[in-house]
Amino acid sequence: MDCNDVFVPNAFTPNGDHLNDEFGVSNRFFLGEFIALEIYDRWGSQLFRSVDPFVKWDGTANGEDSIPDMYLYKLYYRCNGEEQARAGGFNLIK
């Protein structure tokens, strides 16, 4: 698998059932060198940032559950020696 073939889900359901409860990169071993994952609300406020590829967003911000809505992510990684950035949207469903 090529490190440019990054899969980022388009929805997740942080409802405590241990299925799809966190948002993050699922194929992090093929990613190349992970730099950071950032999550933003629709108004551009950063809710989450991690530099650890194994830490995913649990759907909370400042200790509170986030509302069902569309959120944005920015993923930074190094692939074949070049820094890459990928951005997109996903839904938090409850």
Side-chain angles (χ1 to χ4, degrees):
M1 182 176 232
D2 186 278
C3 60
N4 285 306
D5 296 330
V6 177
F7 175 74
V8 180
N10 60 9
F12 82 120
T13 57
N15 58 10
D17 67 357
H18 304 292
L19 299 171
N20 203 25
D21 279 341
E22 297 177 316
F23 179 85
V25 179
S26 61
N27 58 344
R28 57 192 169 257
F29 293 108
F30 298 102
L31 184 60
E33 182 185 342
F34 181 91
I35 297 172
L37 173 66
E38 300 171 346
I39 307 295
Y40 297 87
D41 65 19
R42 65 173 56 232
W43 298 277
S45 296
Q46 188 178 81
L47 305 176
F48 173 84
R49 184 174 196 281
S50 178
V51 296
D52 183 337
F54 297 99
V55 175
K56 296 181 177 185
W57 186 47
D58 64 0
T60 63
N62 299 318
E64 300 287 325
D65 289 340
S66 296
I67 61 170
D69 204 352
M70 172 69 88
Y71 292 85
L72 305 172
Y73 72 86
K74 289 184 181 178
L75 173 64
Y76 302 94
Y77 62 100
R78 192 167 284 107
C79 177
N80 299 321
E82 293 184 27
E83 189 168 317
Q84 305 287 323
R86 178 171 292 198
F90 64 95
N91 288 300
L92 185 156
I93 302 168
K94 292 214 175 178

